[in-house]
Amino acid sequence: MAGECLFCKIIKGEIPAKKLYEDDELVAFWDIAPQAPTHFLVIPRKHLSGPAGATPADDALVGKLLRKGAELAAANGAPAFRLVLNNGPEAGQTVFHLHLHVLGGRPLTWPPG
Ligand code: AMP
Ligand code: ZN
């Protein structure tokens, strides 16, 4: 449910987060358990359950999410970076509000575990 969602609560200011960017459609904040020197999340204000929860009506929003993640990476210590979207518990998704991980600031191995 959107109202009980952790990231919806961060958007509403009910749970604190260290924000690095926000506009009318997106919010970006530093991950509470960083996996790299640069690790922040970019989320839409609109509650979508994850990548598979987006519809064609969300195409522009999802495109902006990716572009903004790339733009913010370069401006926050990660000229080389990885963008990650987890979908489903088996893929590592733990918060069911669409979020783009932006990781960088150290060498990143491939493939991920
Ligand atoms: P995922 O596992 O892809 O669903 O990613 C969820 C991410 O949210 C994880 O990297 C968590 O460390 C992060 N996270 C959980 N709670 C918070 C919070 N209150 N503030 C910032 N990041 C959080
Ligand atoms: Zn939400």
Side-chain angles (χ1 to χ4, degrees), residues 65-80:
L65 184 80
L66 292 176
R67 186 187 60 74
K68 186 55 71 174
E71 183 182 298
L72 291 170
N76 286 277

Side-chain angles (χ1 to χ4, degrees), residues 48-55 58 62 84-88 93 95 97-99:
L48 298 170
S49 62
T55 72
D58 302 311
V62 174
V84 176
L85 292 164
N86 293 325
N87 192 94
Q93 187 179 9
V95 179
H97 181 127
L98 176 63
H99 52 279

Side-chain angles (χ1 to χ4, degrees), residues 30-31 33-42 69-70 72-74 76-86 99-110 112:
W30 295 99
D31 197 290
Q35 301 301 309
T38 295
H39 185 186
F40 60 86
L41 306 173
V42 190
L72 291 170
N76 286 277
F81 55 86
R82 183 170 297 165
L83 305 179
V84 176
L85 292 164
N86 293 325
H99 52 279
L100 177 71
H101 292 263
V102 182
L103 296 140
R106 66 167 170 81
L108 298 168
T109 57
W110 189 260

Side-chain angles (χ1 to χ4, degrees), residues 2 5 7-8 47 96-97:
C5 166
F7 287 175
C8 281
H47 179 90
F96 294 86
H97 181 127

